[in-house]
Amino acid sequence: MMADPVWQDAARLRQSADPGRAADGMERGVRTGPDVFTGGGEMGRRMRDMDWSATPIGRPEDWPQSLRTIVNLMLTSSFPMFAVWGPELTFLYNDSYRPILGDKPEALGRPFAAVWADIWEDLVPLVARALAGEATYHEDRLLVMERHGYREETYFTFSYSPVRDEADRVAGMFCACTENTARVLAERRLTFQLDLAEKLRGMNDPVGITAAAAEAIGRHLRVARAGYGRTDPTGSLISVDRDWSDSGVESLAGQSRPLDSFGPALIAELRAGYTLRVDDVATDPRTSGSGPAAAFAGIGARALLVVPLLKAGQLTAILYLHEGEARHWTETDAALAEDVAERTWAAVERALAEAALRAANTALIHERAAVEAANARLAAEGERLRTLFRQAPGFMCVLRGPDHVFELANDTYMQLVGRQDLVDRPARDALPEVEGQGFFELLDRVYASGETFVGRSMPISFQRRPGGPLEERFLTFVYQPIKDEDGRVTGLFVEGSDVTEAKRAEEELQQLNATLEARVAEEVAERERVQIALLQTQKTEALGQMTGGVAHDFNNLLQALSGCLHMIEKRAEGTRIQPLVDAGRQAVDRGAKLVQQLMAFARRQALRPETVDLRDRVLGMSELLNRALRADIRLEVDFATGLWPVEVDATQLELALLNLVVNARDAMPDGGMLSIRAANVTLTHGDPRAPNGLSGEFVRLTVSDTGTGMPADVQARAFDPFFTTKEIGKGSGLGLSQVYGFARHSGGTVWIESEEGRGTTIGLLIRRSGTAPAEIAERVVTEAGASRVGGHVLVVEDDPIVALTVATALEDAGFTITRVATADEALPLLEAGGFDLLFSDVVMPGTMSGVDLARSAQRLRPDLPVVLATGYSEEVARATGVMVLPKPYRIDHLVEVLDTLLTEAAPPSPRGERGI
């Protein structure tokens, strides 16, 4: 109910906008069309008057609602829009779109391809995507179209959106667009002008200046030829010193031609100071006749754009642009050519004026030396100098007396200050707006002291138009005292140049240079940081490869020692040698733990990843962590709510956390605070928080202490295996190596933040798991003392000592053993059959690994139990569905595993797959 007044207001507004049209489509009692054409200005009227039944889309009453809605939206919008519909893509558009069509014939109701035939090849891929159901957006897209009788570059920002009918099929397309041609071309033109100004600034050769400017505008406007021509003193001949031409176009350099041969009408416009535009000499009435046609044919010009330079009302030079084919010159082309010509004339005048000024000064010195002997020559020379003075490109004036009355002022000076009525007027009266800017005070000081003053890039404000605002300019000038024969100052000579454009360009360049230096410094710093990180990673990876190889060999040695100790124990049971056997086993276990840490660092340990609740796991370790700490260390655990589960080897996680806690404890000899924190983080590519280019969802686990901290050299080596700062016997140097290997093997990373005397924080990124934690299910192993099944076991082991000790121990346990050294030897035996279980090493010589042998055995006998053993191998990751024992293992544990597998294999079990 509250919205009713709004709808009523809207109805009144519609009625007031179109009094003769009722809400039901009736106009002065006559139905003029459905409500879809309500409003819309001229296009709405034309759509209402149009016989749509003669078009492919039929009567509006039969149009689908989606088309009616789009057309109504389009007609009531002030933004340029059009829509196409049906098999022929019938074209409909609103009032705001009409200017875009230019001089094209009536487009309403015509096929889209016919309306924009000149750019249809460019539009077909975009239209096809829209009709396939894909909406597209295009910004400042170039379309070379013909809508005013000539080809022109245009730039549009627009979107093509598919429109569906009642059957949910794409039946048409809707477009909202805006034309950006003027802005894009203006930006290009500004860039060109700045580049040209910079190029001309340091040049002092007039011919070189004109040649450089001609080449610049020729390339920018992509013409066939560009150059500057000079007229002779009679104004009848035009000569070209140098020009620029595209490949294949003849240069006019060194040629002179009569001006009138190109047509009196054209030359008259140039002499009148008008910029000349000829799109086609063959059709332009000013170039009609055999004479002009032959002249232009002789220089290979079909279209031309010419800017004249007049001095004292006389044509003295031209800037010309030639095309070999007909071309439409735009107002923008002409304005740019005029700007380039003006800049070039100014640069040439500057170069000529500098040379003329030097010559004038030289001549003045000679004239002063001969003043008493040549009064007549002095008068003539004075007149000549006045002419030079008046025509000089720099501004000049002569001030007389202490009131600084204008005695002379050249054209440039009058143009600078914006007025002509200066002579015989005091400076303060002629230029009242300069009062208070310090320049009159400078004049007074120079007049009083007789000392020359030079000002460089000084700001001054003039009111250059009557009633207009003050305009700031920057001037470089000299106030030179004029003295009589007695040395008294009688006036001042003022000379200088307007350096406003140069000043502003210099400031812009300084700003660009300042920004560039900052960007370069930032890039260099980033490259150095990445290089250091890369070197550290390469060093760590190399150490990992080395330690992984050492771990493999050492595990085999430990396995051999463990087996030998088992056999000694069996054969010397009940003797005094048992304590020695126990001590040997403890040494083997310690060695195995060291090897595990080495393998974790090398990231080659056969991890058992599982989904772990980090909060529950750490809280479950709280008693163990508290025992590892001293009473003077307070433990603080802070985990964020909603912590994600992680995918890790739970044992390696606990070992890594324990290593970090022990290191933190040892770093706080006087006690302190140890904090364990965890929180969820999401990293994206390019995120400054993402080390090593990681991205995705992680849990960030940090362990912080308030201890002694690490110096930079210790931080650089902290993850190296066997590196330690602890006393001999108090640390293996493998704790942080294990943490590093665990983090990298788990798909994350680890880093150190430390400051001497302020403590250390070690952080880990652990990748989020995609599954929820599951309850731990332990495999049931045959209890000691249970009945033993026995069986025929094929043992594959290339290390002779390990093979001997394992085979002997298994025979003592009641198994029948067949022993071979390689998988290649074992495969034929498996094919022959007769074995109850396969027990194999993973890494061995030959063409097959233990994993390959296990797969072959499962193909030959799917029910055959398989156990693999390894000290170090990347192959283990492929051993899915197979029991894997890490070396070194206890012989009694091996016997229990084999007994369990053989017991389960005896009758078929319904419990599913065996193995880990």
Side-chain angles (χ1 to χ4, degrees):
M1 294 299 294
M2 295 180 64
D4 288 349
V6 176
W7 289 107
Q8 294 170 6
D9 291 345
R12 284 193 294 271
L13 288 174
R14 287 197 301 269
Q15 186 65 22
S16 63
D18 191 359
R21 181 173 179 84
D24 59 358
M26 299 291 290
E27 184 173 330
R28 295 177 177 84
V30 179
R31 178 169 294 277
T32 59
D35 289 341
V36 64
F37 299 138
T38 298
E42 173 63 17
M43 292 310 302
R45 183 193 63 76
R46 290 166 64 182
M47 288 185 185
R48 289 192 294 271
D49 295 342
M50 187 167 183
D51 180 11
W52 290 100
S53 62
T55 68
I57 61 177
R59 300 185 313 157
E61 292 80 359
D62 301 328
W63 288 0
Q65 185 57 46
S66 54
L67 175 58
R68 296 165 63 87
T69 301
I70 287 295
V71 171
N72 185 258
L73 167 68
M74 187 170 62
L75 289 177
T76 56
S77 174
S78 298
F79 200 81
M81 297 177 181
F82 73 84
V84 295
W85 191 267
E88 294 189 12
L89 300 180
T90 302
F91 198 73
L92 305 96
Y93 56 97
N94 64 1
D95 279 351
S96 298
Y97 189 81
R98 290 169 59 196
I100 294 176
L101 293 169
D103 299 333
K104 284 183 173 291
E106 174 59 57
L108 185 63
R110 295 178 62 205
F112 190 13
V115 173
W116 287 113
D118 47 328
I119 57 173
W120 185 242
E121 289 186 2
D122 297 329
L123 298 182
V124 164
L126 310 182
V127 175
R129 290 170 64 185
L131 296 181
E134 178 186 357
T136 60
Y137 175 77
H138 310 274
E139 185 171 359
D140 289 345
R141 187 179 183 95
L142 169 63
L143 296 172
V144 181
M145 60 176 59
E146 185 172 346
R147 55 180 176 174
H148 297 295
Y150 54 86
R151 302 283 287 175
E152 61 177 312
E153 287 187 7
T154 64
Y155 295 86
F156 287 87
T157 295
F158 60 94
S159 63
Y160 279 0
S161 302
V163 182
R164 301 179 182 272
D165 58 16
E166 273 69 3
D168 199 30
R169 294 174 304 204
V170 177
M173 182 189 77
F174 172 70
C175 173
C177 64
T178 182
E179 182 171 2
N180 300 325
T181 304
R183 175 181 59 78
V184 173
L185 295 181
E187 291 173 354
R188 287 170 46 189
R189 184 167 62 252
L190 178 60
T191 301
F192 166 76
Q193 290 170 327
L194 292 175
D195 292 342
L196 178 61
E198 179 65 23
K199 180 181 293 185
L200 298 183
R201 182 178 296 115
M203 303 182 69
N204 53 19
D205 173 28
V207 175
I209 290 172
T210 57
E215 179 178 357
I217 191 171
R219 292 186 183 278
H220 181 74
L221 292 181
R222 295 191 286 272
V223 299
R225 179 170 54 223
Y228 285 85
R230 295 179 294 102
T231 60
D232 69 340
T234 65
S236 60
L237 289 177
I238 188 76
S239 302
V240 178
D241 293 324
R242 286 168 57 186
D243 65 359
W244 174 87
S245 60
D246 199 357
S247 58
V249 179
E250 179 188 1
S251 171
L252 301 180
Q255 300 183 23
S256 298
R257 294 177 183 269
L259 272 174
D260 290 336
S261 65
F262 295 103
L266 287 183
I267 304 307
E269 290 189 22
L270 290 177
R271 286 178 172 144
Y274 296 111
T275 297
L276 189 64
R277 287 190 289 172
V278 178
D279 296 345
D280 189 349
V281 297
T283 59
D284 194 300
R286 296 171 295 179
T287 56
S288 60
S290 58
F296 286 115
I299 61 174
R302 180 77 177 273
L304 56 144
L305 176 63
V306 184
V307 180
L309 171 66
L310 272 64
K311 288 186 178 180
Q314 299 297 317
L315 178 64
T316 59
I318 61 170
L319 163 64
Y320 62 84
L321 305 175
H322 289 167
E323 274 288 5
E325 301 294 336
R327 170 173 176 166
H328 175 72
W329 303 100
T330 65
E331 292 289 346
T332 303
D333 295 339
L336 182 61
E338 291 169 353
D339 178 76
V340 171
E342 182 178 351
R343 292 173 185 269
T344 306
W345 306 145
V348 169
E349 291 292 337
R350 171 184 53 78
L352 292 174
E354 290 174 353
L357 185 59
R358 289 191 295 270
N361 288 335
T362 302
L364 183 59
I365 293 173
H366 291 302
E367 290 300 328
R368 284 179 178 175
V371 62
E372 292 182 355
N375 288 331
R377 289 179 55 197
L378 180 60
E381 188 65 24
E383 185 59 31
R384 189 174 73 86
L385 287 176
R386 281 186 173 84
T387 303
L388 289 174
F389 175 86
R390 180 175 55 81
Q391 296 180 355
F395 63 81
M396 296 181 185
C397 70
V398 176
L399 304 176
R400 180 182 68 248
D403 294 332
H404 318 303
V405 176
F406 281 99
E407 195 169 78
L408 293 172
N410 71 347
D411 295 345
T412 305
Y413 190 94
M414 296 181 194
Q415 183 180 3
L416 173 67
V417 301
R419 62 202 69 181
Q420 304 288 328
D421 54 340
L422 297 177
V423 177
D424 293 331
R425 296 180 61 187
R428 285 180 168 85
D429 176 55
L431 303 172
E433 69 273 18
V434 180
E435 187 69 55
Q437 299 185 43
F439 288 89
F440 294 150
E441 290 76 6
L442 283 175
L443 291 172
D444 294 339
R445 190 179 73 189
V446 172
Y447 188 89
S449 65
E451 296 179 357
T452 302
F453 175 83
V454 178
R456 292 182 174 86
S457 300
M458 293 184 64
I460 186 171
S461 296
F462 293 111
Q463 188 178 37
R464 305 180 71 184
R465 295 189 307 275
L470 292 178
E471 298 182 27
E472 184 180 52
R473 311 298 293 175
F474 290 88
L475 307 179
T476 293
F477 60 92
V478 57
Y479 286 169
Q480 177 68 45
I482 300 174
K483 300 180 180 180
D484 60 16
E485 296 178 355
D486 298 328
R488 291 176 299 184
V489 176
T490 60
L492 299 176
F493 173 71
V494 179
E495 185 273 335
S497 58
D498 185 348
V499 296
T500 303
E501 300 301 326
K503 176 69 174 177
R504 291 171 181 167
E506 180 183 358
E507 291 174 351
E508 293 176 0
L509 181 60
Q510 289 174 351
Q511 179 64 27
L512 288 175
N513 288 337
T515 307
L516 177 63
E517 291 175 2
R519 291 199 303 268
V520 170
E522 181 179 350
E523 181 67 20
V524 169
E526 177 64 16
R527 287 177 178 268
E528 291 178 351
R529 184 190 67 77
V530 171
Q531 185 68 19
I532 293 171
L534 177 61
L535 292 174
Q536 178 64 22
T537 300
Q538 291 173 340
K539 181 184 76 172
T540 306
E541 290 296 331
L543 287 173
Q545 294 289 338
M546 179 189 72
T547 54
V550 172
H552 172 262
D553 296 338
F554 198 51
N555 266 333
N556 279 334
L557 292 176
L558 292 175
Q559 182 60 58
L561 288 174
S562 177
C564 290
L565 289 173
H566 178 81
M567 299 304 298
I568 291 172
E569 182 181 31
K570 290 294 185 181
R571 285 161 172 69
E573 188 173 357
T575 66
R576 291 181 299 172
I577 204 171
Q578 184 63 38
L580 296 176
V581 173
D582 294 339
R585 280 188 168 168
Q586 291 178 2
V588 170
D589 291 342
R590 290 177 58 193
K593 290 181 179 179
L594 288 175
V595 172
Q596 283 185 347
Q597 291 178 321
L598 281 173
M599 291 169 68
F601 173 76
R603 290 180 285 151
R604 299 295 186 270
Q605 188 171 12
L607 300 181
R608 299 291 191 274
E610 59 181 290
T611 302
V612 172
D613 187 313
L614 195 60
R615 178 191 300 274
D616 292 347
R617 184 66 61 170
V618 174
L619 292 179
M621 294 177 62
S622 58
E623 183 177 352
L624 175 62
L625 297 178
N626 282 321
R627 287 203 306 269
L629 299 176
R630 300 189 306 272
D632 58 354
I633 296 177
R634 184 162 66 91
L635 175 63
E636 178 185 271
V637 178
D638 181 14
F639 284 0
T641 58
L643 206 62
W644 293 328
V646 294
E647 187 87 7
V648 294
D649 184 310
T651 302
Q652 290 298 320
L653 170 64
E654 293 177 354
L655 179 59
L657 186 57
L658 187 59
N659 281 331
L660 294 177
V661 169
V662 170
N663 280 354
R665 177 200 66 193
D666 295 343
M668 295 186 290
D670 298 327
M673 168 73 76
L674 189 146
S675 302
I676 303 175
R677 294 183 171 85
N680 299 330
V681 292
T682 300
L683 304 178
T684 58
H685 288 291
D687 192 328
R689 302 177 302 160
N692 302 325
L694 291 176
S695 64
E697 295 179 331
F698 296 85
V699 173
R700 183 178 60 235
L701 176 66
T702 60
V703 178
S704 304
D705 63 65
T706 58
T708 56
M710 300 184 192
D713 58 333
V714 173
Q715 291 185 52
R717 299 183 58 194
F719 293 122
D720 294 353
F722 305 114
F723 175 76
T724 180
T725 58
K726 299 177 183 179
E727 299 177 6
I728 297 176
K730 292 189 177 182
S732 64
L734 292 174
L736 288 180
S737 301
Q738 182 271 336
V739 174
Y740 175 85
F742 161 73
R744 296 302 298 274
H745 207 166
S746 300
T749 189
V750 61
W751 69 92
I752 299 175
E753 298 174 359
S754 183
E755 184 179 349
E756 287 189 84
R758 302 292 294 269
T760 298
T761 294
I762 297 183
L764 293 90
L765 283 179
I766 308 173
R767 195 170 291 278
R768 178 185 183 179
S769 173
T771 60
E775 295 184 0
I776 299 174
E778 297 183 355
R779 184 180 183 87
V780 178
V781 182
T782 304
E783 296 182 1
S787 60
R788 182 160 295 147
V789 176
H792 192 180
V793 179
L794 176 60
V795 176
V796 187
E797 173 61 66
D798 64 306
D799 189 301
I801 298 177
V802 175
L804 175 62
T805 56
V806 170
T808 303
L810 293 179
E811 287 174 347
D812 289 349
F815 295 96
T816 301
I817 302 300
T818 297
R819 190 179 79 190
V820 295
T822 67
D824 296 324
E825 298 175 34
L827 186 57
L829 298 178
L830 287 173
E831 292 174 345
F835 296 101
D836 301 309
L837 187 143
L838 171 63
F839 178 57
S840 174
D841 191 13
V842 173
V843 179
M844 62 187 89
T847 61
M848 298 174 64
S849 69
V851 175
D852 297 329
L853 179 61
R855 290 181 173 177
S856 298
Q858 289 174 334
R859 285 195 298 270
L860 293 170
R861 283 187 54 191
D863 60 336
L864 179 69
V866 178
V867 179
L868 298 179
T870 182
Y872 160 80
S873 175
E874 297 177 348
E875 290 283 305
V876 178
R878 301 192 293 118
T880 57
V882 177
M883 168 77 75
V884 180
L885 290 180
K887 291 181 180 180
Y889 49 81
R890 295 281 184 92
I891 296 297
D892 51 0
H893 177 60
L894 173 62
V895 171
E896 291 176 354
V897 170
L898 300 188
D899 274 343
T900 300
L901 292 178
L902 289 172
T903 300
E904 293 178 351
S909 173
R911 292 178 294 171
E913 296 185 0
R914 299 190 302 271
I916 296 177

